[in-house]
DNA sequence: CTAACATATGTTAGTCACTAACATTTAGGA
DNA sequence: TCCTAAATGTTAGTGACTAACATATGTTAG
């Protein structure tokens, strides 16, 4: 992270990272499958799943997933937010990272869909879940990007909250 | 496309593509910035923009963008759908392609946001536009993926239509 | 018809992410 | 202390992509 922030993601080679960590390049690849994973690996998934499960099953899906994501962000501590902010800024700076970010999102989303599938296994319900999870996750991403781009004192959780509201307002 | 479909995307080298096209590898790179662009470049953007602009300005944003996308798909001819289907199947087969697909989407989305910005330039309106465009585009992608995965006789336009409906139903 | 110029293409050599195969070290238990 | 398994290192390679320079090809002016 230090090297990437100092000299940029693309201009930093894996060898440099390896040297800085005092290991060989090969060792880096054994711990992180790609260079992008050095930035992107996190472990928010379990918390997100718990928050989604904890909400009322009767709620509309978008509300349920969206509010869970917003609450999860609101619960992060100041240093956690700092790290998140730096990671997001980095992601925005490199196309390769932006691309992988969305792949990551997809994995978390799959877990959420899995958690909400319940007994219903028909493809139509699966489809509906995917649509709603997609909308919530992209709304969250958009909110985080706005948070990272502006120097406002916005709290990310509140931005996500608002994003979900907009979705409700702009739906016929 | 032929080579990629025959032997897979990752196992086909750019050199092979160049040979098949009877040019040098360098020439390939001058026409397509990356290997992924060989599959991903399309020119649907102008049509999408026109369809979005053509709809009632009074409509909720999700309806407006979502229906425009659904209509655009409904309007494609049989051979165009065939090509689209093959491209989507290919994208689903290679992680690198999946990632870039989302980058592509982002570009089209930016154009839609641009088109709908109008006179309002405040960041809050921009934010709202992004949220809605995101939701519609990911819903479309989910619909296309479902279309490509199942061998049902579903029409993609109709699937997108239904996806947008789900979004409306699951919103509080 | 040709000279001049721009544009498209080819060639070569290089960087860097990533992989495979094998060698070496390190750590922990019998 | 020996043995085994896991972690790390080394080397050599592949393949996407870039930079620099050379060549061809087409286009317009004289």
């Amino acid at each position: 992270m230090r090297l990437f922030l100092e000299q940029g993601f693309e201009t930093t080679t894996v060898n440099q990272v390896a040297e800085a960590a005092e290991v060989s390049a090969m060792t880096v690849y054994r711990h992180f499958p790609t260079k992008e994973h050095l930035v992107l690996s996190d472990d928010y998934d379990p918390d997100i799943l718990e928050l989604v499960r904890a909400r009322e099953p009767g709620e509309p899906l978008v509300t349920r997933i969206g509010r869970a994501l917003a609450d999860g962000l609101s619960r992060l501590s100041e240093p956690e937010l700092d790290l998140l902010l730096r990671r997001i800024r980095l992601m925005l700076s490199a196309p390769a990272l932006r691309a992988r970010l969305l792949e990551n999102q997809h994995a978390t989303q799959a877990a959420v869909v899995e958690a909400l599938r319940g007994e219903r296994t028909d493809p139509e319900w699966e489809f509906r879940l995917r649509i709603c999870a997609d909308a919530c996750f992209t709304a969250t991403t958009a909110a985080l990007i706005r948070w990272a781009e502006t120097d406002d004192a916005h709290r990310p959780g509140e931005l996500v909250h608002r994003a979900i509201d907009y979705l409700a307002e702009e739906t016929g």
Side-chain angles (χ1 to χ4, degrees), chain A:
Chain A
M1 279 296 285
R2 202 195 74 236
L3 285 175
F4 290 150
L5 288 169
E6 276 174 16
Q7 39 178 317
F9 179 76
E10 286 169 338
T11 53
T12 304
T13 73
V14 174
N15 270 321
Q16 288 177 303
V17 174
E19 273 178 41
E22 291 176 322
V23 286
S24 78
M26 194 61 223
T27 300
V28 174
Y29 283 117
R30 279 199 257 254
H31 288 269
F32 300 89
T34 71
K35 185 182 171 187
E36 286 84 30
H37 279 80
L38 286 167
V39 178
L40 291 174
S41 45
D42 63 45
D43 41 2
Y44 293 141
D45 286 26
D47 301 301
I48 292 172
L49 287 184
E50 201 180 333
L51 282 165
V52 170
R53 269 194 274 255
R55 294 190 71 89
E56 294 295 325
E59 251 177 344
L61 284 173
V62 171
T63 316
R64 190 168 180 195
I65 304 170
R67 296 271 185 266
L69 290 171
D71 288 356
L73 277 169
S74 305
R75 227 163 268 191
L76 291 181
S77 69
E78 207 56 49
E80 283 171 322
L81 283 178
D82 264 14
L83 178 59
L84 183 59
L85 187 58
R86 275 185 302 172
R87 283 177 54 204
I88 293 174
R89 294 234 168 98
L90 205 50
M91 287 175 201
L92 296 179
S93 76
L97 282 175
R98 271 201 300 273
R100 295 277 181 169
L101 159 70
L102 300 170
E103 283 266 298
N104 258 33
Q105 220 182 72
H106 193 76
T108 307
Q109 236 165 283
V112 169
V113 168
E114 170 82 27
L116 289 177
R117 185 156 27 216
E119 312 85 46
R120 307 188 50 178
T121 55
D122 53 306
E124 206 58 29
W125 173 244
E126 177 96 13
F127 185 42
R128 185 186 286 254
L129 280 172
R130 269 194 226 277
I131 302 296
C132 297
D134 267 326
C136 292
F137 274 89
T138 52
T140 302
T141 303
L144 289 176
I145 288 175
R146 187 176 173 200
W147 176 51
E149 277 175 347
T150 68
D151 277 334
D152 281 348
H154 288 303
R155 288 323 235 47
E158 187 233 331
L159 278 171
V160 172
H161 216 87
R162 210 175 333 145
I164 302 295
D165 286 343
Y166 286 156
L167 219 42
E169 288 171 23
E170 296 293 348
T171 283

